[in-house]
């Protein structure tokens, strides 16, 4: 990766133009940009198994093996533009499969391995995928589906063998050169704000992904990078796998299930210097009793997927030696607003701030009523100004014109994220909630994240969610779902303590009227809290408690 000193805004914009020229060019080849241009001896990934043993794969090996698999795809009838899905965990085979798909010029459809068959079927049907490459332990989920299956296990009458296809000497094909507008990925949104919708990621989006790796994550050529997110979802795919392939930075990929012990071991053993993960990972590390080893080499730590609550950085600064930088984006845009790690553009962190615009993007907080830009401190919708965001690439949802229209202003200027936030005098954005999660209590508009940030700072709490339930007098009142640190018992006394904590640290009127103690919070497969599930559960429980108390 070539990183030059671009300490001024004009220089950063020149860098954006350079990236767009390279990745959006008519002669752009994804296979070249993501693999073949790197020195063959350069290690792409250190793969760490669940037992913490390690192996590696170089770009030369990736090229050789993906050339064979792409030739096999071609030989069995697949061509550029075809949709090829993967139902695979983090593995060497997965990395080779991605490179083979793009070498052919086909379009990758990621499937998360935690999906049940109905979620898989929905995505296969919507994308028109006729081929799925899957791990052996995922093959049973594909039974009865009208698509061809390649498995990393043994071949059967229902599935072909990945190993045999790679080892068969099919005629070699030339790498596809399709240009910046060619589709690279067809990914589906998580469905937290409606049914999953198809998003086409064109090759030119690689410019945006590279800009985030450079400016957002602050990658250096000598970094050891680890993105802990799953590549079945946007952040792990865009900025884990693809980000590594783009930059050529040495990366680690952990194939086991999360544990604090394994995470700390990998930090120490493999000298990770640049780490990115969801806030849940940092909260779990903070809650763990596992000792933090000496000699951790972290230089940068970043977070994305959900807002980062302030207690994480109190712990991270003391235990990891770095502050965690919160970053914001969506499947449809990639990352757009960040606490930038790139040193010439970095600023001091502020509690609750998700940062400022990434170079190449322009964002405003606008009125939800007339889309007029709001003054600092006013709550409104985060909107991307497409007239001044050269890195923007999303054109609309696949076969969903009505849903697409909801995301863009009529004049085509604004992409509407559906997230509510405020800005301050220095241009920092402060997340409040999803548009449909905002709470209106006795005339006050309250963003649940603000209350969650205060609650989560209490030492007894691992994580929490704040929602509203109906109230005859106030319209809505706040209730909280709380997960306590292991060994901390729930009690009426603790409830009173937590309510007082919010009154003193946020506002007297905005404390949760009820606190419910849960073993865990309901989450999507990508790790985002399912607020509508929390809301429905707590509303029913709140109603029942009021009946019992004679309040209804």
């Amino acid at each position: 990766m070539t990183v030059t000193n671009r300490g001024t805004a004009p220089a950063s914009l020149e860098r954006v133009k350079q990236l767009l020229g390279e990745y959006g060019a008519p002669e752009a080849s994804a296979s070249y940009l993501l693999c073949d241009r790197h020195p063959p001896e350069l290690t792409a990934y250190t793969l760490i198994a669940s037992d913490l043993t390690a192996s590696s794969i170089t770009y030369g090996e990736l090229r050789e093996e993906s050339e064979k698999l792409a030739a096999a795809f071609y030989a069995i009838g697949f061509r550029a533009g075809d949709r090829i899905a993967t139902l695979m965990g983090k593995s060497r085979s997965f990395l080779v499969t991605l490179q083979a798909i793009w070498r052919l010029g086909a379009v990758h459809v990621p499937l998360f391995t935690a999906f049940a068959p109905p979620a898989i079927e929905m995505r296969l049907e919507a994308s028109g995928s006729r081929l799925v490459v899957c791990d052996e332990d995922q093959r049973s989920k594909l039974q009865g589906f009208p698509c061809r299956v390649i498995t990393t296990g043994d071949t059967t009458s229902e599935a072909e063998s990945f190993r045999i296809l790679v080892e068969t000497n099919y005629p070699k094909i030339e790498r596809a050169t399709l240009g910046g507008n060619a589709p690279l990925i067809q990914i589906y949104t998580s469905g937290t704000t409606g049914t999953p919708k198809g998003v086409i990621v064109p090759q030119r989006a690689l410019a945006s992904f590279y800009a985030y790796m450079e400016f957002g994550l602050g990658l250096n050529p000598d970094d050891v990078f680890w993105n802990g997110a799953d590549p079945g979802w946007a952040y792990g795919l865009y900025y884990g796998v693809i980000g590594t392939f783009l930059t050529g930075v040495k990366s680690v990929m952990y194939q086991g299930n999360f544990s604090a012990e394994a995470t700390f071991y990998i930090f120490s053993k493999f000298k990770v210097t640049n780490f990115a993960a969801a806030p849940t990972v940092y909260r779990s590390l903070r809650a763990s009793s596992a000792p933090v080893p000496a000699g951790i080499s972290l230089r940068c730590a970043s977070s994305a997927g959900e807002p980062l609550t302030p207690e994480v950085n109190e712990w991270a600064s003391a235990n990891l030696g770095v502050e965690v930088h919160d970053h914001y984006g969506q499947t449809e845009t990639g990352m757009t607003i960040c606490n930038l790690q790139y040193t010439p553009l970095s600023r001091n962190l502020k509690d609750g701030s998700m940062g400022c615009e990434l170079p190449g993007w322009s964002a405003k907080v606008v009125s939800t009523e007339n889309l007029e830009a709001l003054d600092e401190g006013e709550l409104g919708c985060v909107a991307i100004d497409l007239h001044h965001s050269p890195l923007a690439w999303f054109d609309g949802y696949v076969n969903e014109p009505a849903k697409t229209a909801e995301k863009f202003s009529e004049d085509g200027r604004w992409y509407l994220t559906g997230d509510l936030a405020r800005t301050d005098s220095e241009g920092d954005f402060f997340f409040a909630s999803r548009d449909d999660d905002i709470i209106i209590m006795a005339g006050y508009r309250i963003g649940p994240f603000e209350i969650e940030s205060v609650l989560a700072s209490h030492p007894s709490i691992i994580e929490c969610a704040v929602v509203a339930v109906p109230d005859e007098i106030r319209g809505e009142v706040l209730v909280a779902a709380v997960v306590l640190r292991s060994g901390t018992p729930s009690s009426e006394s603790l409830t009173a303590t937590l309510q007082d904590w919010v009154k003193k640290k946020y506002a007297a009127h905005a404390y949760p009227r009820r606190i419910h103690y849960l073993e865990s919070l309901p989450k999507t497969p990508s790790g985002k809290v399912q607020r509508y599930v929390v809301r429905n559960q707590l509303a029913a429980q709140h109603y029942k408690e009021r009946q019992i108390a004679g309040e209804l």
Side-chain angles (χ1 to χ4, degrees):
M1 176 176 61
T2 301
V3 179
T4 57
N5 187 8
R6 291 176 297 277
T8 64
S12 299
L13 294 179
E14 282 302 313
R15 176 59 170 156
V16 168
K17 291 179 182 178
Q18 179 187 345
L19 291 171
L20 285 167
E22 183 174 6
Y23 295 100
E27 67 276 11
S29 165
S31 189
Y32 172 77
L33 295 167
L34 298 172
C35 181
D36 296 358
R37 66 172 172 172
H38 297 303
E41 70 279 4
L42 183 66
T43 296
Y45 271 99
T46 298
L47 300 161
I48 304 168
S50 55
D51 64 0
L52 300 178
T53 58
S55 60
S56 63
I57 185 168
T58 66
Y59 281 100
E61 291 169 326
L62 269 174
R63 178 171 185 170
E64 180 181 357
E65 294 174 32
S66 67
E67 283 177 339
K68 292 178 179 179
L69 185 58
F73 287 157
Y74 188 90
I76 62 177
F78 291 89
R79 298 292 184 268
D82 285 341
R83 271 53 177 170
I84 298 178
T86 60
L87 185 59
M88 308 175 78
K90 302 172 184 178
S91 66
R92 183 187 186 105
S93 299
F94 173 65
L95 299 175
V96 170
T97 300
L98 290 182
Q99 293 285 5
I101 290 171
W102 296 324
R103 191 171 294 280
L104 178 67
V107 182
H108 174 226
V109 180
L111 301 172
F112 185 43
T113 53
F115 280 155
I120 295 169
E121 184 175 22
M122 173 259 146
R123 286 161 173 81
L124 293 178
E125 287 185 353
S127 65
S129 299
R130 297 185 296 112
L131 174 65
V132 183
V133 184
C134 73
D135 289 336
E136 176 62 18
D137 61 359
Q138 297 288 321
R139 184 168 35 155
S140 61
K141 296 179 181 179
L142 300 170
Q143 289 182 354
F145 289 5
C147 58
R148 200 161 185 165
V149 176
I150 294 172
T151 176
T152 56
D154 294 330
T155 184
T156 67
S157 59
E158 298 177 348
E160 295 167 273
S161 167
F162 179 95
R163 178 182 58 81
I164 292 175
L165 286 174
V166 171
E167 292 178 355
T168 302
N169 190 27
Y170 290 108
K172 185 177 177 180
I173 64 170
E174 294 296 321
R175 66 178 178 231
T177 300
L178 303 177
N181 290 325
L184 188 73
I185 301 162
Q186 185 163 331
I187 192 169
Y188 285 79
T189 62
S190 62
T192 54
T193 56
T195 56
K197 299 171 284 291
V199 174
I200 298 292
V201 182
Q203 286 188 31
R204 69 178 185 275
L206 295 176
S208 176
F209 299 167
Y210 202 120
Y212 173 70
M213 301 298 289
E214 189 169 308
F215 297 124
L217 297 179
L219 275 182
N220 285 336
D222 56 354
D223 268 333
V224 176
F225 177 58
W226 182 16
N227 185 327
D230 193 285
W233 296 101
Y235 191 72
L237 181 60
Y238 297 175
Y239 305 112
V241 177
I242 292 177
T244 291
F245 289 161
L246 277 172
T247 60
V249 69
K250 185 177 181 181
S251 297
V252 301
M253 177 176 278
Y254 178 50
Q255 298 168 292
N257 295 324
F258 169 82
S259 76
E261 293 82 357
T263 301
F264 290 143
Y265 174 84
I266 293 168
F267 282 165
S268 178
K269 174 68 175 178
F270 297 94
K271 305 300 181 185
V272 175
T273 60
N274 201 312
F275 180 64
T280 300
V281 169
Y282 294 102
R283 289 195 290 263
S284 298
L285 293 176
R286 171 178 174 263
S288 170
S289 59
V292 181
I296 287 179
S297 306
L298 281 181
R299 185 180 63 81
C300 294
S302 304
S303 173
E306 284 192 302
L308 188 71
T309 43
E311 84 288 350
V312 169
N313 267 334
E314 294 179 16
W315 172 86
S317 295
N319 292 273
L320 300 181
V322 293
E323 291 184 295
V324 182
H325 287 53
D326 193 16
H327 297 162
Y328 169 84
Q330 295 187 330
T331 301
E332 297 92 332
T333 60
M335 308 310 289
T336 54
I337 298 172
C338 307
N339 285 290
L340 302 172
Q341 297 266 26
Y342 177 58
T343 302
L345 299 179
S346 64
R347 306 191 301 190
N348 291 333
L349 296 185
K350 303 174 185 177
D351 284 349
S353 169
M354 54 191 189
C356 59
E357 299 109 315
L358 189 74
W361 293 93
S362 177
K364 301 290 182 185
V365 172
V366 302
S367 166
T368 55
E369 297 177 356
N370 57 23
L371 302 186
E372 293 292 329
L374 296 177
D375 293 332
E376 64 186 67
E378 294 187 277
L379 184 66
C381 177
V382 179
I384 303 300
D385 185 349
L386 299 177
H387 291 177
H388 299 93
S389 298
L391 289 179
W393 48 265
F394 174 66
D395 295 326
Y397 299 115
V398 179
N399 299 324
E400 292 270 13
K403 293 294 184 183
T404 297
E406 293 174 4
K407 299 299 289 186
F408 295 95
S409 60
E410 289 186 6
D411 61 3
R413 177 180 178 182
W414 301 108
Y415 166 81
L416 306 173
T417 66
D419 290 321
L420 299 182
R422 300 181 177 91
T423 58
D424 68 7
S425 59
E426 295 181 300
D428 279 78
F429 287 73
F430 294 80
F431 180 84
S433 73
R434 288 292 303 173
D435 189 14
D436 51 2
D437 286 331
I438 200 70
I439 298 165
I440 301 176
M441 185 180 74
Y444 292 100
R445 289 168 62 85
I446 301 170
F449 174 65
E450 297 169 302
I451 315 302
E452 290 166 0
S453 295
V454 174
L455 273 175
S457 68
H458 191 278
S460 298
I461 292 178
I462 295 176
E463 59 182 355
C464 59
V466 172
V467 297
V469 296
D471 182 83
E472 291 180 2
I473 298 174
R474 299 177 182 87
E476 292 180 319
V477 294
L478 301 176
V479 295
V482 164
V483 178
L484 294 174
R485 185 181 293 275
S486 177
T488 302
S490 61
S491 65
E492 291 185 6
S493 174
L494 178 60
T495 294
T497 297
L498 294 176
Q499 290 172 328
D500 194 51
W501 183 269
V502 175
K503 291 177 185 178
K504 290 180 177 178
K505 291 182 176 292
Y506 181 67
H509 71 281
Y511 71 93
R513 266 53 179 183
R514 297 280 197 281
I515 295 180
H516 303 269
Y517 300 98
L518 305 181
E519 295 274 335
S520 62
L521 298 180
K523 296 177 181 176
T524 68
S526 63
K528 296 179 182 178
V529 174
Q530 293 178 302
R531 291 185 181 279
Y532 71 94
V533 176
V534 177
R535 188 185 301 116
N536 292 343
Q537 290 176 344
L538 297 195
Q541 191 167 345
H542 184 71
Y543 183 81
K544 184 176 180 179
E545 289 176 353
R546 293 186 68 196
Q547 280 186 316
I548 294 172
E551 297 176 6
L552 295 176

